[in-house]
Amino acid sequence: LEKRNEELTVEYRELSQESLSWDEEVVRIYNEMVKNCNRIAELYGYENYYEYASRVIYERDFGAEERSKMRSYATTYLMDAVYGALDTFLSKYEGLGFMDSNLVTGLMYTDYDDLGTNYVADYMQSIPGDVAEKMQAMFDEQRVVFVDDPNAVEGAFTTYIDGAPFCFFGPGYQSSTTLIHELGHYYGGTMVELWEQPLDISEVQSQGNEWLFVYYLSETLSEELFECFLHLTITDNMTIILSALMIDQFEEMVYTHPNAGELTLEEYEALMNQVVSQYGDPEEINYVIGDLNTYWKMVVVEQPVYYISYAVSAVAAMDIYVTATENEEQAWTAYRALVEEMDPDAGFLKNLENAGI
């Protein structure tokens, strides 16, 4: 069943290279995957794949009650917060000159070596020496590759080759924030092999490094530039939380549906619209989040039941930033504890508690 799902994923990727939209063929692939996944869960004694993946694959130590509270909080407060952060960013961005506006967005979207100043290298000069040494090893030991071939695999990711972490950066995924994100994974991977970590903790290691980078920029950029970049980052992170929660809720409905694996495209879209409507106007949300309708259709096939990881880790990572604004040393102590003293068997919540997050 797992081998068949791998074959279906390859089929989907070949189709998605031609079009990002779903058609009858993609729905056929997804339906078969859903059936296979639920059958796998049944064989392991679970009612559905959503529960199996949460407990076994991702080893989550939070369940339905915590998810319900988080969704309720997000639907009540988060959309207004996103609109507020976005409005603040846009108002500040409109007042910037050409060079400054390019720098603000360039930190997040432009290749890091096209910015004039290597903010990543400067950031690493500012952080605790042994942490910088572990991150710098990615470059010094040639444990990284940057690929510009337009036919290369998309994305940036950290994996293991020859018993050590290795980072890949594809075309369009070589910005300063992306590099910092993967450096967090690399640093975590030097301490505990990535597949032995709770994946939600692994995402805090990467996103936490991003937020420590944001704090560094508060002491590097002018106040005007930093406030603009900060609110762009807040908007980006909050939309990640929102989209991740929506996708997760959709997937729970899919795998627990009475007709799981037999739905039509229209039924899938209706389920997603039902979820999105709980957060606000679907048309507005699709605009703010950046074509959510295309995005969810991609990730539910390629990374089933994974996306809540990005929501819970983003919240924890933002907490590291808030701590840094009050006490930078304390923030670094917490972040390092999450990496260097992380207990692979303790789970997500316990590791956060142990690190003081």
Side-chain angles (χ1 to χ4, degrees), residues 8-27:
L8 289 167
T9 303
V10 171
E11 285 184 48
Y12 167 75
R13 286 176 179 161
E14 290 173 349
L15 289 171
S16 66
Q17 287 176 351
E18 301 171 11
S19 172
L20 289 175
S21 62
W22 273 22
D23 56 19
E24 289 185 5
E25 185 65 10
V26 176
V27 173

Side-chain angles (χ1 to χ4, degrees), residues 150-334:
N151 295 315
V153 173
E154 285 194 0
F157 55 86
T158 302
T159 185
Y160 262 70
I161 295 178
D162 294 332
F166 189 97
C167 294
F168 174 91
F169 296 88
Y173 292 85
Q174 299 176 18
S175 70
S176 297
T177 52
T178 304
L179 185 51
I180 290 291
H181 181 99
E182 295 306 323
L183 272 170
H185 281 310
Y186 183 88
Y187 172 41
T190 63
M191 306 305 298
V192 177
E193 293 185 3
L194 295 173
W195 52 74
E196 293 184 357
Q197 301 182 22
L199 290 176
D200 299 354
I201 288 293
S202 180
E203 292 299 342
V204 185
Q205 293 171 352
S206 57
Q207 292 173 304
N209 199 36
E210 284 187 63
W211 275 106
L212 287 165
F213 178 63
V214 172
Y215 179 76
Y216 157 77
L217 291 173
S218 72
E219 301 179 324
T220 304
L221 303 178
S222 69
E223 183 177 351
E224 182 183 34
L225 284 182
F226 174 70
E227 283 295 315
C228 189
F229 179 72
L230 173 64
H231 284 87
L232 174 60
T233 307
I234 291 171
T235 304
D236 182 70
N237 275 253
M238 286 187 173
T239 54
I240 287 172
I241 293 169
L242 281 168
S243 59
L245 287 174
M246 292 176 193
I247 290 167
D248 177 72
Q249 191 169 345
F250 166 82
E251 289 190 285
E252 185 173 11
M253 295 168 72
V254 165
Y255 287 104
T256 59
H257 197 282
N259 298 320
E262 297 178 359
L263 303 183
T264 65
L265 174 58
E266 291 74 20
E267 288 172 320
Y268 280 123
E269 290 180 332
L271 279 182
M272 191 61 184
N273 282 332
Q274 180 182 334
V275 173
V276 173
S277 296
Q278 296 176 27
Y279 291 76
D281 179 79
E283 193 170 317
E284 287 185 15
I285 290 173
N286 196 49
Y287 169 74
V288 171
I289 292 183
D291 201 8
L292 177 65
N293 279 337
T294 298
Y295 187 66
W296 71 260
K297 290 174 181 174
M298 176 177 65
V299 300
V300 298
V301 176
E302 298 214 49
Q303 293 181 295
V305 195
Y306 183 71
Y307 259 66
I308 196 172
S309 293
Y310 289 122
V312 296
S313 61
V315 173
M318 293 173 84
D319 190 69
I320 292 173
Y321 171 77
V322 172
T323 301
T325 64
E326 299 164 351
N327 186 323
E328 182 183 5
E329 184 179 350
Q330 183 179 336
W332 271 106
T333 298

